[in-house]
């Protein structure tokens, strides 16, 4: 890890932690509520099977919270990442919004006036403890609606054992990826390069490749640029050089979900793929010798990384502001933040927990991801059009790399929808 980056990051997290520790309570959201209230929480599942399901984490948190706050019950409902955003949208549309949702987007609900702001719910010590880059990404019109819940950055993962047998080195460029994948295919590796562009989380895979090609979802002033020349060139390269040459495995990228790709990597069937910290944990449990390098770019390693933050939000519909705040203050204590991060090898979103992870040797494997977080590129979360745009990407992006696909046309369709939704707001 670059020592200067480490010093800057530790200094930042220490300052945030100190601010959070010394702030006084505002009184907003800190009451225990009156009478018997049941909060409905809908959350995403970060697990890969029943044993690792997030339902176990939330049930434990809810049980401890209810014991400390006997007037408030928490009803937990967990859905896969493939379904959770759509499920919450359907609940809201039906007039049955949950009290709390932990999902992938918040801005459209905030713009529609359906969410509480952070200062309406949280104690100052909780609100001030969020990492600044993440809390900034959670704002709409200057107010914080999307509370960062957990974060990660991405690196390229490769199977050291398979690479050693093939006599190849970790890739640094796109050409390296192509030649390494060809060598792995010759040795019978099922997925030389796993490219999950299926509906589960293809918006992440898409952004990683866009960044590696010098593009992204937005331009320098924040306008959508999904169909930029750089992005079109990136997906044209993928279609012609990886997918078209049979280097991405037996499942078409548009039908391959992230969970299936990660599962195949943990089984030793994948040579390389873009991954996040949770995959490292799962693969090493299965005996895979995991290598990790920055995302290869067109001419060398990509500068910066893709960052992902998932969001917590409180809905106004049931008027449980105080009870929601009481529960969220509990969720964001260091013990609970670190418990979730430890369970899935993800990154905490608060300054005090980040500082604890940075200074703890047992989390050494995560330090490279942690150091990359402050300078990472996130989705355009603050755009109210992002939720619909993300769904469009999940639905369509896989077709861009099909044998008869047209990357320029597909990216143009997605970009046109994004601009249309954005202009309608």
């Amino acid at each position: 890890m670059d020592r200067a980056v480490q010093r800057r990051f530790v200094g930042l997290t220490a300052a945030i932690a100190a601010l959070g520790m010394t702030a006084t309570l505002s009184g907003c959201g800190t009451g225990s509520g009156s009478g018997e209230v049941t909060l409905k929480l809908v959350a995403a599942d970060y697990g890969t099977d029943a044993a690792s399901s997030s339902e176990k984490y939330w049930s434990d948190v809810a049980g401890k919270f209810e014991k400390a706050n006997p007037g408030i019950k928490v009803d937990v409902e967990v859905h896969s990442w493939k379904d959770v955003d759509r499920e919450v949208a359907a609940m809201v549309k039906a007039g049955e919004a949950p009290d709390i949702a932990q999902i992938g987007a918040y801005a459209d609900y905030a713009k529609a006036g359906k969410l509480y702001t952070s200062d309406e719910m949280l104690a100052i010590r909780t609100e001030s403890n969020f990492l600044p880059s993440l809390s900034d990404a959670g704002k709409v019109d200057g107010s914080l609606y999307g509370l960062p819940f957990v974060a990660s950055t991405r690196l390229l993962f490769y199977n050291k054992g398979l690479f050693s047998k093939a006599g190849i080195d970790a890739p640094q460029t796109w050409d390296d990826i192509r030649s390494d994948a060809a060598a792995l295919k010759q040795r019978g590796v099922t997925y030389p390069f796993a490219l999950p562009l299926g509906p589960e989380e293809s918006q992440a895979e898409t952004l990683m490749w866009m960044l590696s090609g010098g593009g992204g979802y937005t331009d320098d002033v924040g306008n959508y640029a999904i169909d930029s020349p750089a992005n079109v060139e990136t997906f044209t390269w993928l279609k012609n050089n990886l997918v078209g040459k049979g280097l991405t495995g037996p499942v078409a990228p548009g039908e391959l979900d992230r969970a299936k790709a990660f599962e195949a990597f943990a089984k030793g069937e994948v040579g390389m793929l873009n991954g996040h910290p949770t995959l490292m944990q799962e693969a090493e449990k299965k005996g895979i010798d995991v290598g990790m390098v920055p995302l290869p770019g067109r001419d060398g390693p990509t500068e910066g990384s893709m960052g992902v933050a998932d969001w917590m939000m409180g809905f106004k519909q049931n008027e449980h502001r105080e009870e929601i705040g009481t529960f969220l203050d509990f969720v964001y204590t260091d013990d609970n933040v670190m418990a979730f991060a430890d369970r899935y090898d993800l990154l905490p979103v608060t300054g005090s927990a980040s500082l604890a992870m940075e200074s703890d040797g047992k989390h050494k494997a995560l330090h490279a991801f942690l150091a990359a977080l402050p300078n990472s590129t996130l989705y355009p979360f603050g755009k109210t059009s992002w939720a619909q745009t993300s769904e469009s990407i999940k639905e369509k992006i896989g077709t861009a790399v099909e044998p008869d696909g047209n990357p320029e046309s597909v990216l143009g369709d997605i970009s046109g929808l994004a601009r249309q939704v954005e202009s309608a707001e």
Side-chain angles (χ1 to χ4, degrees):
M1 183 193 307
D2 182 85
R3 291 180 182 273
V5 171
Q6 182 177 3
R7 284 196 297 270
R8 287 196 301 273
F9 185 63
V10 170
L12 171 64
T13 55
I16 297 298
L19 178 60
M21 293 295 289
T22 58
T24 59
L25 298 182
S26 68
C28 288
T30 60
S32 60
S34 59
E36 185 74 25
V37 169
T38 297
L39 299 176
K40 182 167 184 177
L41 164 66
V42 178
D45 193 352
Y46 291 74
T48 55
D49 53 31
S52 60
S53 173
S54 299
E55 189 168 358
K56 294 187 175 182
Y57 169 82
W58 284 115
S59 294
D60 180 63
V61 169
K64 292 177 180 177
F65 173 78
E66 290 172 356
K67 186 176 181 180
N69 298 271
I72 310 173
K73 301 293 184 184
V74 182
D75 178 22
V76 177
E77 187 176 311
V78 173
H79 294 275
S80 73
W81 268 115
K82 192 172 182 177
D83 302 320
V84 69
D85 289 282
R86 185 169 58 251
E87 290 286 343
V88 170
M91 292 175 190
V92 173
K93 185 176 182 180
E96 300 174 352
D99 294 287
I100 303 166
Q102 186 270 298
I103 51 177
Y106 64 86
D108 50 343
Y109 300 126
K111 201 72 173 181
K114 297 182 181 297
L115 302 181
Y116 291 115
T117 60
S118 60
D119 59 2
E120 290 176 311
M121 300 182 291
L122 304 180
I124 289 177
R125 65 182 179 191
T126 303
E127 184 179 13
S128 64
N129 201 18
F130 292 127
L131 293 174
S133 61
L134 299 181
S135 60
D136 286 346
K139 293 178 179 179
V140 173
D141 297 332
S143 294
L144 180 61
Y145 292 93
L147 313 180
F149 174 67
V150 73
S152 69
T153 51
R154 304 297 168 92
L155 298 173
L156 184 132
F157 285 49
Y158 66 99
N159 184 315
K160 286 185 176 181
L162 295 178
F163 267 61
S164 178
K165 290 176 182 177
I168 54 178
D169 296 321
Q172 297 187 48
T173 66
W174 286 359
D175 285 343
D176 292 342
I177 288 177
R178 178 177 53 192
S179 61
D180 286 352
L184 292 165
K185 182 180 179 181
Q186 286 183 340
R187 295 194 62 86
V189 175
T190 305
Y191 294 89
F193 191 104
L195 185 66
L197 294 177
E200 183 189 4
E201 205 202 20
S202 53
Q203 78 277 16
E205 188 74 17
T206 297
L207 181 55
M208 283 183 275
W209 280 101
M210 286 179 171
L211 292 173
S212 72
Y217 283 136
T218 58
D219 59 22
D220 291 341
V221 294
N223 296 319
Y224 278 120
I226 295 170
D227 58 348
S228 69
N231 292 339
V232 171
E233 288 177 13
T234 293
F235 275 84
T236 301
W237 187 91
L238 280 173
K239 176 189 172 186
N240 295 337
N241 291 276
L242 288 188
V243 183
K245 295 185 181 300
L247 301 178
T248 54
V251 180
E255 299 175 5
L256 182 64
D257 282 337
R258 178 194 64 178
K260 293 296 183 183
F262 281 16
E263 180 181 330
F265 186 85
K267 291 179 178 177
E269 299 173 350
V270 175
M272 44 185 163
L273 82 174
N274 293 317
H276 59 60
T278 302
L279 175 59
M280 174 182 63
Q281 179 190 63
E282 294 297 322
E284 289 177 346
K285 284 181 182 177
K286 300 289 180 61
I288 304 299
D289 190 4
V290 180
M292 296 178 290
V293 294
L295 304 178
R298 192 182 298 276
D299 301 311
T302 303
E303 293 185 9
S305 175
M306 188 196 84
V308 172
D310 301 324
W311 307 96
M312 187 83 78
M313 61 211 70
F315 282 86
K316 292 179 177 179
Q317 180 174 321
N318 299 319
E319 299 183 351
H320 291 155
R321 178 185 65 83
E322 290 191 11
E323 293 83 3
I324 292 171
T326 303
F327 179 69
L328 292 178
D329 283 337
F330 182 78
V331 167
Y332 284 107
T333 59
D334 281 357
D335 285 347
N336 288 325
V337 170
M338 289 300 295
F340 195 91
D342 281 344
R343 185 177 181 87
Y344 298 107
D345 269 351
L346 291 171
L347 306 180
V349 296
T350 63
S352 54
S354 295
L355 180 60
M357 179 175 281
E358 179 67 36
S359 59
D360 190 341
K362 78 174 185 178
H363 294 112
K364 184 177 180 180
L366 293 175
H367 288 177
F369 295 96
L370 197 61
L373 185 58
N375 298 315
S376 61
T377 299
L378 281 73
Y379 302 138
F381 289 114
K383 288 182 173 291
T384 56
S385 57
W386 174 242
Q388 290 187 53
T389 300
S390 177
E391 287 300 315
S392 178
I393 294 165
K394 292 177 184 180
E395 178 186 345
K396 298 178 180 179
I397 195 63
T399 64
V401 297
E402 290 178 350
D404 59 350
N406 183 324
E408 184 175 11
S409 176
V410 173
L411 291 173
D413 287 347
I414 296 170
S415 190
L417 173 66
R419 292 174 179 137
Q420 180 182 351
V421 176
E422 183 79 359
S423 64
E425 297 295 338

